[in-house]
Amino acid sequence: MNADFGRVMLVVLFALIPIAGIALGMRAPALRSKIPLLVAFFAGLIPIFSMYIPKRFLSGDGGMSPRLDEWLIIVAGFALLLGITNVISNSYRKISRKERNWPYAIVLLVGLFTMGGFGIYGAVSHQGTGFLPDGSPTPFRWVETTVFQPLQSTIFALLAFFMASAAFRAFRARNTEATILLIAGAIVMIGRVPLIEFLAAPFPALQPAAASAGQFMGKATEWIMDVPNGAAQSGILIGAALGAASMAIRVILGIERGYLGLGKGE
Amino acid sequence: MFGRSCDFGGEKPVDTTTGGSLVSASVRLTASSLVVLTLLLCAAPAGAVAPVTTPPPPPELPAPTAFVAVDRPGDGGNAILLTWTDPAPLPEGTVLEVRRSEPPADEFGELQTVKPGAQRYVDASAEDGKTYRYELRVRGVETPDSLGIAGAVGPALVSDPVSPHDNWFRTERTNSLLAVLLFITFILTSIAAARSGKPIFIRRIAGLNAVDEAIGRATELGKKVLYIPGIQSMDEIQTIASIAILGHVARATARYGTDLDVPNKDPLTFVSAREAVHSAYLAEGRPDLYREEMVHYVTYDQFAYTAAVSAQMTREKPAAIFLVGYFFAESLILAETGQSTGAIQIAGQADPTQLPFFVATCDYTLIGEELYAASAYLSREPVLLGSMRGQDIAKAVLLAVGIIGIIAVSLGATWFVDLVRTQ
């Protein structure tokens, strides 16, 4: 069995069976709800089998498992079209009904059509979306570097301020747990920066003691991060991994159907 | 299977008594006169005549043994595994030379030189469907051959013909397969027990108990519920868990007649979320309350999405915000913005990297496995609860294996590490 066999099986499992199911489901709605479960069953089993069966039709280059990942990209591409359609229709509705904050919808549509237009122009004129032969940017690239990327960086930079405000709230010693958090946080912060050495810099007599204290805080930081923090993270990861595996089994067996909007299992 | 010894493949053995060293000394003698001369030199008294020395014959290089070439077991094809036993003792400065031929051609071509001690080599350049023969011999890098040239070779072993092919099972993953089968058995037996009506105790999860409270608060205030399903696609198990929870939240908002808003970053998640919310409103008998714009698409860019949702929070001030799914750097920006609006916030994430941000900024956080348990906990369906019990049994087994492993490794039993190591 070679890669072609895998290709044929994929078409049968994920194209012919769903189409046949939809056709049959026109007359029997109960059957219609079974088809997504069947598709999920096969889609879940193929990557698991490919973990243990190295046959080329299943897990080799162009086999069922890697090809299934490629199909996901294709499906996502079509879903993106649905998303864009949704953005346009929602914005149009807001503008036409003059709903609350409707001017923002105009800004959104202008941005969407401008970037989309530059992208299509780049494709039609064979310029692409990068740089022209003389080194100057295409209109698409120019808007991206001068408008989009600075805005993106601005939003990311907000993280520093949000981190400070969140730390301020988290480190208030309201109860025992918060006090432990405060102490541990203070040790880690002092251990990560040469604060003690900096404070002792004007006093040469204190510098050896400050250096020793700095080393001690560094070791204490290392211990906090490796031992209590590492143990807690490992516990969370093991629990989450088992939870994810359990969820995956429920999805593959069709017990968990909430993600399909099918309601209760059984 | 074992290789057989053969000749030097075209390099004829050289008689050391008529070696090239004498030829290089430009003294052309016949074999008989050489014998006479040697005898005379041996009989002459020491120091009488400057002796004419004959270089020592090159050392005989040994041959490896037990040379076997087989298709590499448990792989996807295109590889041959060669194993052998190094000869002992192997002189200094020697390597093992692997050569390959494709029948019907008899000529071996250079493939690879292997340092002594490896005793195995994988030919990853082989192709499925072709037959190969391999030759293995010892080459002394500095050892002179009979002509006095460095690089003497020992007798060669030739393998039987072998063809690579893809296999049906990765034998090195047997332990992993057994663990998976055991885990599935735990889950299925627990589900069967739950189906039989056996009561199952599930510990209280504060974050999930607060779901109804948060939606009730939004209802009382007449404000909307904002549900953010993370920024990953439906191939991420956390997103699947999030959409399952969204179904329960949507049922509650349908029951209470509360407005629901689900902004999406990923197009596939958007389609699934819309289906889940629509079905929830139908299931609650309130299709009249469902509006298409409840579940809407925003953008595929991470920070553009963050900006849009943060702005929405600031403008519309929802009463309850759910941040459930897979988040990256935007987690704190979203949660802190939501916190500043005074909304009750429930977060859920299985990845420890973003959890501290949610714990610091949200009222309730579903940590790790609680996220996956949410669907079962909220629906109280026996089958789903049964799977959670199976998961807990697996956790207990894993804990026991961990303790045994700690003891075994502390006592120096490395076999335990080999037993549980996965490849």
Side-chain angles (χ1 to χ4, degrees):
Chain A
M1 284 183 280
N2 53 20
D4 290 336
F5 173 77
R7 212 172 298 168
V8 171
M9 284 302 292
L10 276 183
V11 171
V12 171
L13 292 176
F14 301 112
L16 296 183
I17 289 180
I19 290 168
I22 291 165
L24 293 171
M26 300 267 185
R27 292 180 183 174
L31 181 67
R32 203 160 42 201
S33 66
K34 295 273 188 298
I35 297 301
L37 295 176
L38 201 64
V39 170
F41 176 73
F42 288 121
L45 277 191
I46 288 169
I48 294 176
F49 280 160
S50 75
M51 276 282 292
Y52 302 104
I53 301 172
K55 275 282 174 190
R56 189 166 295 111
F57 79 90
L58 189 64
S59 49
D61 293 338
M64 290 173 82
S65 186
R67 203 167 277 273
L68 204 57
D69 292 339
E70 290 169 13
W71 281 31
L72 180 74
I73 298 167
I74 297 167
V75 173
F78 282 101
L80 188 60
L81 279 178
L82 283 177
I84 293 168
T85 311
N86 181 259
V87 168
I88 294 170
S89 65
N90 273 347
S91 302
Y92 176 74
R93 192 199 66 249
K94 277 184 188 173
I95 296 165
S96 61
R97 293 183 191 170
K98 290 210 166 30
E99 287 180 11
R100 197 176 163 212
N101 299 317
W102 65 271
Y104 293 119
I106 296 176
V107 176
L108 196 154
L109 286 182
V110 168
L112 178 71
F113 284 116
T114 305
M115 287 303 275
F118 285 151
I120 292 167
Y121 172 72
V124 171
S125 64
H126 301 290
Q127 286 181 354
T129 54
F131 292 92
L132 297 170
D134 63 357
S136 60
T138 57
F140 185 93
R141 175 54 67 99
W142 186 84
V143 176
E144 191 190 356
T145 49
T146 55
V147 180
F148 181 68
Q149 285 179 5
L151 287 172
Q152 210 176 25
S153 304
T154 307
I155 295 292
F156 187 55
L158 286 174
L159 202 55
F161 299 98
F162 285 135
M163 230 177 244
S165 61
F168 175 73
R169 253 199 329 279
F171 289 159
R172 274 182 300 183
R174 289 168 297 187
N175 50 38
T176 314
E177 289 88 350
T179 311
I180 293 170
L181 188 69
L182 171 66
I183 294 167
I187 292 171
V188 171
M189 279 193 284
I190 295 168
R192 288 277 163 95
V193 291
L195 180 67
I196 300 173
E197 289 89 334
F198 175 75
L199 293 175
F203 312 103
L206 292 177
Q207 281 174 5
S212 303
Q215 278 184 353
F216 172 77
M217 293 304 274
K219 282 180 183 169
T221 298
E222 217 170 283
W223 183 84
I224 288 171
M225 296 305 289
D226 289 348
V227 181
N229 180 54
Q233 286 214 16
S234 300
I236 291 170
L237 279 175
I238 290 170
L242 285 173
S246 171
M247 176 100 190
I249 291 170
R250 293 201 301 259
V251 168
I252 290 170
L253 296 179
I255 296 167
E256 175 71 68
R257 304 168 176 200
Y259 72 101
L260 290 170
L262 290 178
K264 290 187 176 182
E266 281 295 339
Chain B
M1 293 294 280
F2 287 93
R4 56 188 165 78
S5 185
C6 78
D7 64 19
F8 280 70
E11 294 172 20
K12 292 191 185 339
V14 180
D15 184 352
T16 52
T17 55
T18 57
S21 56
L22 293 177
V23 175
S24 64
S26 303
V27 183
R28 297 185 176 277
L29 299 172
T30 61
S32 56
S33 59
L34 180 60
V35 171
V36 172
L37 179 61
T38 307
L39 288 172
L40 284 171
L41 285 171
C42 291
V49 184
V52 179
T53 55
T54 307
E60 285 258 333
L61 288 171
T65 54
F67 178 49
V68 182
V70 291
D71 170 54
R72 186 170 61 172
D75 71 355
N78 294 328
I80 297 288
L81 173 67
L82 309 175
T83 56
W84 64 87
T85 306
D86 282 352
L90 205 55
E92 281 288 315
T94 52
V95 292
L96 288 119
E97 206 171 62
V98 181
R99 289 148 62 88
R100 187 176 78 179
S101 80
E102 281 182 50
D106 288 330
E107 282 184 20
F108 285 94
E110 181 79 26
L111 185 64
Q112 184 67 269
T113 53
V114 184
K115 285 182 181 173
Q119 303 196 123
R120 77 193 295 275
Y121 172 69
V122 175
D123 176 15
S125 63
E127 289 175 35
D128 284 6
K130 288 187 176 177
T131 304
Y132 301 96
R133 279 194 312 156
Y134 292 87
E135 185 187 77
L136 182 72
R137 61 188 187 181
V138 175
R139 176 181 283 279
V141 179
E142 291 168 3
T143 312
D145 61 9
S146 55
L147 296 172
I149 301 165
V153 290
L157 291 179
V158 177
S159 73
D160 290 332
V162 60
S163 298
H165 58 84
D166 50 352
N167 294 277
W168 275 104
F169 183 59
R170 291 188 203 276
T171 43
E172 73 275 13
R173 291 184 182 168
T174 307
N175 54 1
S176 160
L177 179 66
L178 289 174
V180 168
L181 291 176
L182 196 66
F183 183 63
I184 292 173
T185 308
F186 289 149
I187 299 278
L188 294 182
T189 49
S190 300
I191 288 173
R195 273 194 173 133
S196 68
K198 195 177 172 184
I200 293 171
F201 170 75
I202 300 291
R203 74 176 168 85
R204 191 177 169 276
I205 301 174
L208 294 175
N209 286 342
V211 169
D212 276 344
E213 178 196 332
I215 296 168
R217 185 168 177 260
T219 311
E220 284 170 7
L221 293 172
K223 290 183 175 180
K224 66 167 62 174
V225 172
L226 184 66
Y227 192 99
I228 304 167
I231 64 164
Q232 288 292 86
S233 192
M234 289 302 287
D235 60 341
E236 169 60 48
I237 192 85
Q238 291 190 56
T239 311
I240 294 176
S242 176
I243 297 299
I245 297 170
L246 171 63
H248 295 284
V249 171
R251 276 173 171 247
T253 55
R255 264 198 311 278
Y256 299 138
T258 315
D259 195 9
L260 175 67
D261 197 334
V262 188
N264 288 277
K265 186 244 171 195
D266 184 84
L268 280 177
T269 311
F270 158 65
V271 176
S272 304
R274 170 170 280 188
E275 196 63 33
V277 171
H278 191 198
S279 301
Y281 275 75
L282 283 175
E284 285 297 321
R286 301 301 302 271
D288 53 311
L289 291 178
Y290 175 75
R291 289 173 291 108
E292 286 278 305
E293 59 266 28
M294 273 180 172
V295 185
H296 58 99
Y297 187 72
V298 180
T299 172
Y300 197 70
D301 184 79
Q302 180 189 11
F303 288 110
Y305 175 77
T306 309
V309 177
S310 298
Q312 197 182 342
M313 287 177 186
T314 312
R315 283 198 302 267
E316 298 174 0
K317 295 199 173 6
I321 298 174
F322 291 85
L323 295 138
V324 184
Y326 206 119
F327 293 87
F328 292 95
E330 71 288 343
S331 64
L332 186 62
I333 299 174
L334 292 173
E336 194 62 4
T337 308
Q339 210 278 337
S340 69
T341 63
I344 183 168
Q345 295 200 109
I346 298 174
Q349 167 111 14
D351 185 8
T353 52
Q354 305 299 324
L355 269 175
F357 299 133
F358 284 138
V359 171
T361 50
C362 295
D363 299 278
Y364 300 96
T365 307
L366 304 174
I367 298 174
E369 61 186 320
E370 291 176 350
L371 171 67
Y372 303 113
S375 179
Y377 189 91
L378 292 170
S379 68
R380 294 279 161 185
E381 283 179 48
V383 175
L384 294 177
L385 292 175
S387 72
M388 284 176 65
R389 184 170 171 272
Q391 179 186 324
D392 283 348
I393 295 171
K395 207 191 296 177
V397 171
L398 210 60
L399 191 67
V401 171
I403 292 169
I404 294 168
I406 290 167
I407 295 167
V409 173
S410 302
L411 295 174
T414 52
W415 57 265
F416 190 85
V417 179
D418 296 331
L419 190 70
V420 295
R421 179 179 285 133
T422 51
Q423 293 172 35

